[in-house]
Amino acid sequence: MKRNLYSESDIWLKDEGGCENVVISSRIRLARNLSKIPFSTHAKPEELANVERLVDERIQSILAFNDYESISLHDVSQFTRRYLKESHIISPEMEKGGEHRKVYLSPGGRISIMVNEEDHLRFQILAAGYNLREILDELIKLDTKLVELLPIAFSEQLGFLTACPTNLGTGLRVSVMLHLPGLVFNRQIEDTIKMLQPLGVTIRGFYGEDSEFTGDVFQISNEASLGKNEEAIVDSIESIANKVIEQEEEARMELFDKRPLIVEDTVWRSFGILSQARLMDTQETMKLLSRIRLGIERKYFSKMNHYILNRLFFSIQPAHVEYKRQTGPNNQKRDAARAELLRCLFTQSGSDN
Amino acid sequence: MIVNPVMCMKCNKTIATVKFTKMVEGKPHEIHLCQNCAASVSPYQPKMSTLENTWSEVLSQLLASSGSAKPLSQESKADESKSPQEKIDAVCDFCGFPFENYRKSPFLGCSVCYTAFEKYLINDIRRIHGSIQHTGRIPMRFRKLVEIKRSLDYLKRELQEAIKCENFEQAAILRDKIRHLNDGKSSGD
């Protein structure tokens, strides 16, 4: 690798986005396949190689122009793959590795183009905060170029043809990552999830599919991709997310209004653990960071802001800690290193309070 | 606990005052309706089986309109292609993928599979997306063909209508337009 992938992979998170109280990040991805080659889930090794070669040849102009890094997931270590997954740059499926699987990465990790995921091509744009329309425009520009350069499988009726019928049509998946401690604290989150269920959205945790809701982080994304056009899908997710943001803001208001001392105690108690503990695992850290993030709104910590916290959600993940402190894959060493990183940060940022 | 009033999920015009909960695949699904729509669903106190049917209809309509996937009415479940009863021997000509494999995993073999298995897949696709017609972006090289096809569909519907109304002069004009487009299509190929 030419550049330092590890230190660059979360640069996208530094950008400012709207609604930072509640929205951590936005992501849109498109799924595309080449015609006349079986889908990656079913293709023979020589067919996967064919996809890899064809994509590599044809998109050189785009890649060079944007200074993309090309990473063969078969050639890098499992550790690197885990790091990229934790950074949300590759999917959990790509973390498994495999021959002829590749990712092209823009500087700073904002745009990634995955080759031979379940579809031949999956490309996404990540953005800090609430930025759906902007990233849709940008993604469509990239798509227009890719679709011109490659023989893409398309049908008039079903749109872009995908390995799984759930991605047919636009091949579009729009997700917004929301931090909802108010709704969790007030025990309203179940009502919110129930409200969302009939609206055609999927609710997932921090890591997407099958992940738990650690750190009160919820990702909402569209279920259907066929029938509505790209803008309409973004509009509907935006209006649903707006509703959830509104509910979260009301829940926080109610919390701060009716139980100020309990909230304050919970936030500072979390601060106490984060600034003193000697062993911290990922789950507990996420839970406590969520409470600190809630406290930021009340300006409890003068040196903390939402962006520092957003990046912490990523940088306390196992492979990130392992890389930063060279702990190796030992759980206890890693938990100790994580605790040390947190102690360092929180004793500094809390000293003037 | 619900912060804001919920609008009726059928007419979307009035605040919902009636809430139904139905278990679908072990998960509760709530349907909020206003008095009027609730009455239209159930104009009299029905027997259990009738209520059950009406339910499925309302639920599938609502889910279809919101584009949601999972829950299904009993009827559509029966003709769903993934039902385990009927064995389908179809194999994709292009990649050799047997349709039966699609029942074991969520993936198809290749893009041609969609044509090969169209009749078995179409209900599944409608169930997943609430639609079977793409309305999003079209790659440049397909744009002309898609435009022609959509115009042809439209003109054919108009032609049927004209014939039905015995407006033969209009029908002749439409027939010429269709012929013209068809010629353009074949020369474009």
Side-chain angles (χ1 to χ4, degrees):
Chain A
M1 272 167 270
K2 284 168 276 165
R3 298 192 310 254
N4 188 345
L5 198 64
Y6 299 109
S7 56
E8 275 194 13
S9 63
D10 68 344
I11 290 180
W12 64 273
L13 261 175
K14 287 181 186 162
D15 298 333
E16 298 208 354
C19 291
E20 64 273 6
N21 275 356
V22 182
V23 184
I24 297 175
S25 62
S26 311
R27 168 183 173 264
I28 306 185
R29 72 106 168 110
L30 286 169
R32 300 286 182 255
N33 286 280
L34 307 184
S35 59
K36 297 182 185 142
I37 303 179
F39 296 134
S40 306
T41 44
H42 185 59
K44 298 183 187 80
E46 61 269 24
E47 289 163 333
L48 292 173
N50 211 359
V51 173
E52 189 189 6
R53 187 185 47 77
L54 204 65
V55 172
D56 213 36
E57 275 171 16
R58 303 275 175 94
I59 68 174
Q60 273 311 325
S61 53
I62 302 178
L63 302 178
F65 183 75
N66 292 299
D67 199 20
Y68 278 71
E69 176 105 34
S70 139
I71 301 155
S72 159
L73 293 170
H74 185 60
D75 298 341
V76 298
S77 65
Q78 162 126 45
F79 173 78
T80 304
R81 292 198 296 268
R82 187 143 49 97
Y83 194 98
L84 292 173
K85 187 209 75 175
E86 286 180 4
S87 305
H88 287 210
I89 280 170
I90 62 169
S91 60
E93 175 57 34
M94 291 295 262
E95 188 196 354
K96 295 175 192 161
E99 273 189 276
H100 310 296
R101 284 187 153 179
K102 216 170 203 180
V103 62
Y104 299 100
L105 200 59
S106 75
R110 214 169 146 267
I111 307 175
S112 57
I113 304 173
M114 287 179 266
V115 182
N116 285 325
E117 215 255 15
E118 66 177 58
D119 294 300
H120 294 151
L121 283 167
R122 284 252 175 135
F123 45 108
Q124 65 166 24
I125 300 188
L126 289 164
Y130 204 20
N131 245 325
L132 292 175
R133 279 154 206 271
E134 253 172 65
I135 57 179
L136 178 68
D137 287 349
E138 204 180 338
L139 197 64
I140 283 177
K141 278 184 198 145
L142 177 63
D143 180 49
T144 309
K145 287 185 201 156
L146 289 174
V147 166
E148 252 172 56
L149 292 165
L150 292 157
I152 297 291
F154 180 84
S155 113
E156 186 271 331
Q157 192 188 0
L158 300 176
F160 292 95
L161 301 171
T162 50
C164 179
T166 51
N167 294 308
L168 282 171
T170 55
L172 190 77
R173 185 76 74 239
V174 180
S175 324
V176 188
M177 205 196 295
L178 303 170
H179 182 225
L180 307 175
L183 289 168
V184 173
F185 219 97
N186 268 356
R187 296 172 199 277
Q188 280 169 283
I189 193 68
E190 277 176 30
D191 287 341
T192 303
I193 292 176
K194 271 188 216 155
M195 170 198 90
L196 294 176
Q197 259 164 358
L199 300 179
V201 296
T202 311
I203 305 146
R204 299 183 171 120
F206 188 71
Y207 284 127
E209 245 156 281
D210 302 328
S211 62
E212 286 175 41
F213 303 124
T214 46
D216 310 322
V217 174
F218 297 78
Q219 289 195 64
I220 61 170
S221 52
N222 59 307
E223 216 156 47
S225 50
L226 174 70
K228 283 189 198 165
N229 70 21
E230 290 78 2
E231 286 77 13
I233 295 173
V234 167
D235 283 351
S236 76
I237 286 298
E238 209 170 60
S239 69
I240 291 165
N242 286 342
K243 185 90 196 143
V244 178
I245 294 168
E246 199 182 295
Q247 289 193 357
E248 169 66 17
E249 280 169 348
E250 278 170 22
R252 288 188 199 179
M253 202 101 86
E254 196 185 313
L255 260 183
F256 293 131
D257 248 24
K258 294 192 179 149
R259 296 189 277 173
L261 203 55
I262 290 177
V263 183
E264 200 176 336
D265 178 68
T266 308
V267 174
W268 283 108
R269 199 174 280 274
S270 306
F271 178 83
I273 298 172
L274 289 165
S275 58
Q276 298 301 328
R278 263 49 184 175
L279 285 174
M280 291 293 298
D281 67 24
T282 316
Q283 291 282 322
E284 189 186 5
T285 309
M286 292 281 279
K287 191 175 103 188
L288 300 176
L289 287 178
S290 165
R291 293 169 183 175
I292 299 291
R293 203 177 184 280
L294 180 66
I296 285 175
E297 201 182 323
R298 293 274 127 169
K299 311 220 180 328
Y300 290 166
F301 316 100
S302 60
K303 291 179 190 163
M304 282 270 164
N305 61 42
H306 289 106
Y307 300 103
I308 297 179
L309 257 293
N310 292 352
R311 293 184 75 197
L312 267 176
F313 276 137
F314 289 84
S315 64
I316 56 96
Q317 300 299 323
H320 279 68
V321 174
E322 205 176 312
Y323 169 74
K324 202 159 188 179
R325 290 293 156 111
Q326 299 297 312
T327 60
N330 177 311
N331 279 345
Q332 200 180 58
K333 272 191 191 163
R334 195 167 55 211
D335 288 353
R338 185 182 291 110
E340 199 198 321
L341 286 167
L342 291 163
R343 272 207 313 280
C344 236
L345 186 82
F346 281 93
T347 41
Q348 276 169 26
S349 61
S351 54
D352 60 336
N353 287 281
Chain B
M1 287 294 250
I2 293 177
V3 195
N4 292 308
V6 178
M7 297 307 281
C8 172
M9 290 163 67
K10 196 157 183 256
C11 66
N12 206 21
K13 286 176 192 147
T14 327
I15 290 171
T17 48
V18 185
K19 181 175 93 175
F20 296 100
T21 309
K22 184 179 163 73
M23 296 301 285
V24 181
E25 295 175 349
K27 286 180 187 163
H29 281 266
E30 283 187 5
I31 301 288
H32 300 267
L33 300 174
C34 67
Q35 288 289 344
N36 274 343
C37 291
S40 76
V41 170
S42 162
Y44 54 93
Q45 201 58 40
K47 288 177 290 198
M48 270 320 283
S49 61
T50 330
L51 183 63
E52 194 54 34
N53 286 341
T54 331
W55 253 122
S56 304
E57 280 165 26
V58 178
L59 197 68
S60 43
Q61 272 169 22
L62 289 169
L63 291 166
S65 62
S66 68
S68 181
K70 274 144 257 164
L72 264 183
S73 69
Q74 292 302 316
E75 298 85 338
S76 47
K77 217 170 216 167
D79 61 32
E80 189 198 337
S81 55
K82 272 207 169 183
S83 68
Q85 294 88 353
E86 28 153 359
K87 191 173 187 310
I88 296 168
D89 286 326
V91 170
C92 173
D93 273 349
F94 181 75
C95 71
F97 183 86
F99 184 75
E100 283 296 307
N101 283 10
Y102 172 62
R103 298 168 179 236
K104 296 172 210 146
S105 87
F107 305 116
L108 287 160
C110 72
S111 51
V112 182
C113 287
Y114 284 102
T115 319
F117 308 135
E118 190 184 353
K119 60 180 175 190
Y120 311 117
L121 285 170
I122 210 75
N123 283 328
D124 227 23
I125 295 170
R126 190 183 283 115
R127 180 181 63 87
I128 294 166
H129 298 281
S131 164
I132 49 163
Q133 182 58 58
H134 176 61
T135 58
R137 288 164 49 76
I138 301 163
M140 197 62 90
R141 74 177 77 95
F142 291 91
R143 230 164 262 179
K144 192 151 185 238
L145 273 177
V146 171
E147 267 168 28
I148 292 175
K149 190 182 172 293
R150 288 184 184 170
S151 309
L152 273 175
D153 288 348
Y154 172 77
L155 289 172
K156 280 176 190 163
R157 277 198 306 273
E158 291 280 289
L159 178 64
Q160 289 306 317
E161 198 58 32
I163 293 170
K164 219 165 80 187
C165 303
E166 300 190 357
N167 187 349
F168 297 116
E169 201 176 325
Q170 174 70 4
I173 298 171
L174 288 165
R175 199 171 297 128
D176 284 348
K177 280 188 180 171
I178 290 171
R179 196 170 297 147
H180 180 74
L181 269 181
N182 268 328
D183 290 349
K185 195 174 148 194
S186 48
S187 67
D189 288 345

